[in-house]
Amino acid sequence: MINIYFAAKPASWAEYETPLRTALDEIGVAYTLSASCDVPEKIDYLIYAPGGPVSDFTPYTNAKAVLCLWAGVESIVENVTLKIPLTRMVDHGLTQGMIEWVTGHVLRHHLGMDQHILGQDGKWRLGAPPLATDRTVSILGLGALGTACAQTLAALNFKVQGWSRSKKQIDGVACFHGEAGLAQILSNTEIAVLLLPLTEATENLINATRLAQMPRGAVIINPGRGPLIDDATLLAALDRGQISHATLDVFRTEPLPADDPYWAHPQVTVTPHIASETRPITAARVIAENVQRDVMGEPLLHVVDRALGY
Ligand code: NDP
């Protein structure tokens, strides 16, 4: 019997219980699944999400893995009580949502939609928007989400560039990596999309130097994590016109406080960390597949590299 503890936010149990039971029933292992836990040493797998009841994993002495429902694991990756494998979420539904959010916001800036949506002032302004073939979009982070967004934008004929830690080859995407690659990619980026994890190496990556490396008037879209950006330098770059607009979904403090300067800045769009989210039905299948793999002695999918932090 496999005992699984749903240690995510109690409020999410209602939407996850049925999809998880359905997916676990399909893999055909005998299991118990509960959102409460009286005997931690009997637990085999913990399903985890930030804001849940577990921060000390020490009592779960027989647990084999912690299966995170989120793609971003910065809130757990440095937890010293966690000594067993940690997996993160790579979920078709989450990816699809991110593709749609990123594509929508890229198209808004590419087409200059605000001019017409917000400027209904009786003036007949001539001039069609440019074609995607003439627009360079750079995706920083070529993981599960970044690659999917890059491929979708490439399919729309954008000139797509991507940047990652290790070298990559993706059809239709000019791939760069490492420090030198970053300067190169930023130098001709008109729209930058940040889909990096938050780690020691990526915190404040978008700082004064990097913003200055971008062409004047570039746009930043950040659905990654707030601390990827040095906020004060971004605000200064927006004020100078070096950056023409920032669309931000994630912040150092969430919810973003009502008096944060981002809210009031005319060149900033704030969205409340809604770019995408894990979808219970597809995510439950990923969790069940990992339980099944582990039970069968096969390697877990989407294991976090604790040293790299993602
Ligand atoms: P992955 O782990 O699949 O991909 C991360 C990418 O970032 C990889 O390409 C990796 O490079 C690259 N990377 C990591 N560190 C560095 C570095 N120091 N320099 C250059 N590249 C680096 O993550 P996902 O694509 O699944 O998710 C990305 C992030 O999106 C999550 O961590 C989370 O923060 C955010 N997110 C936001 C959501 C929202 O609603 N706003 C929803 C879901 C996720 P390499 O390929 O070489 O390893």
Side-chain angles (χ1 to χ4, degrees):
M1 178 69 71
I2 302 287
N3 298 314
I4 304 170
Y5 175 26
F6 184 83
K9 273 189 188 162
S12 56
W13 176 235
E15 58 170 351
Y16 273 97
E17 182 180 3
T18 302
L20 281 168
R21 289 196 190 284
T22 305
L24 289 162
D25 288 347
E26 277 169 13
I27 64 168
V29 295
Y31 69 92
T32 69
L33 173 68
S34 173
S36 62
C37 169
D38 297 330
V39 191
E41 55 271 26
K42 284 201 173 158
I43 298 301
D44 295 289
Y45 300 96
L46 292 95
I47 298 174
Y48 172 90
V54 179
S55 54
D56 179 6
F57 293 91
T58 317
Y60 300 89
T61 47
N62 288 308
K64 280 97 187 152
V66 171
L67 313 171
C68 185
L69 289 174
W70 284 31
V73 289
E74 71 279 359
S75 68
I76 182 178
V77 77
E78 287 176 4
N79 188 317
V80 290
T81 70
L82 179 60
K83 310 232 187 262
I84 52 177
L86 168 68
T87 65
R88 56 183 215 93
M89 184 49 65
V90 177
D91 156 38
H92 175 71
L94 171 75
T95 303
Q96 184 60 30
M98 187 60 80
I99 289 173
E100 293 175 15
W101 188 90
V102 165
T103 305
H105 286 277
V106 165
L107 284 171
R108 169 194 173 193
H109 295 297
H110 165 62
L111 296 173
M113 287 180 174
D114 288 13
Q115 195 187 350
H116 303 290
I117 293 171
L118 306 173
Q120 299 284 298
D121 55 4
K123 290 197 183 112
W124 190 257
R125 293 184 179 87
L126 293 174
L131 293 176
T133 34
D134 297 323
R135 180 79 69 192
T136 302
V137 183
S138 297
I139 314 286
L140 307 194
L142 287 175
L145 299 176
T147 298
C149 292
Q151 287 170 327
T152 300
L153 293 168
L156 288 173
N157 293 327
F158 282 101
K159 287 194 261 182
V160 183
Q161 312 184 126
W163 183 70
S164 52
R165 192 180 48 81
S166 57
K167 200 172 170 187
K168 294 261 183 302
Q169 198 173 351
I170 303 169
D171 281 352
V173 179
C175 295
F176 298 80
H177 66 283
E179 187 62 35
L182 182 58
Q184 222 177 326
I185 195 174
L186 289 178
S187 67
N188 65 346
T189 293
E190 295 176 87
I191 302 177
V193 180
L194 311 185
L195 274 168
L196 293 157
L198 174 58
T199 67
E200 255 176 48
T202 62
E203 185 163 5
N204 289 321
L205 184 88
I206 301 304
N207 58 18
T209 309
R210 268 63 183 254
L211 290 168
Q213 285 166 342
M214 299 177 78
R216 187 172 171 79
V219 168
I220 300 227
I221 299 178
N222 185 17
R225 282 292 179 264
L228 298 175
I229 296 177
D230 175 343
D231 296 314
T233 58
L234 175 59
L235 284 161
L238 284 158
D239 289 341
R240 285 197 312 277
Q242 169 62 13
I243 299 299
S244 64
H245 199 99
T247 294
L248 308 173
D249 184 56
V250 283
F251 306 90
R252 279 194 157 69
T253 305
E254 295 181 7
L256 186 66
D259 61 353
D260 191 284
Y262 279 142
W263 282 115
H265 201 289
Q267 264 74 52
V268 174
T269 300
V270 170
T271 62
H273 200 146
I274 45 76
S276 190
E277 66 179 5
T278 304
R279 314 289 152 148
I281 291 175
T282 40
R285 292 190 197 121
V286 178
I287 297 287
E289 182 177 0
N290 255 342
V291 169
Q292 183 184 38
R293 292 176 76 96
D294 204 49
V295 168
M296 306 285 283
E298 292 168 15
L300 290 165
L301 299 173
H302 320 309
V303 176
V304 173
D305 183 327
R306 304 284 297 278
L308 289 173
Y310 69 99

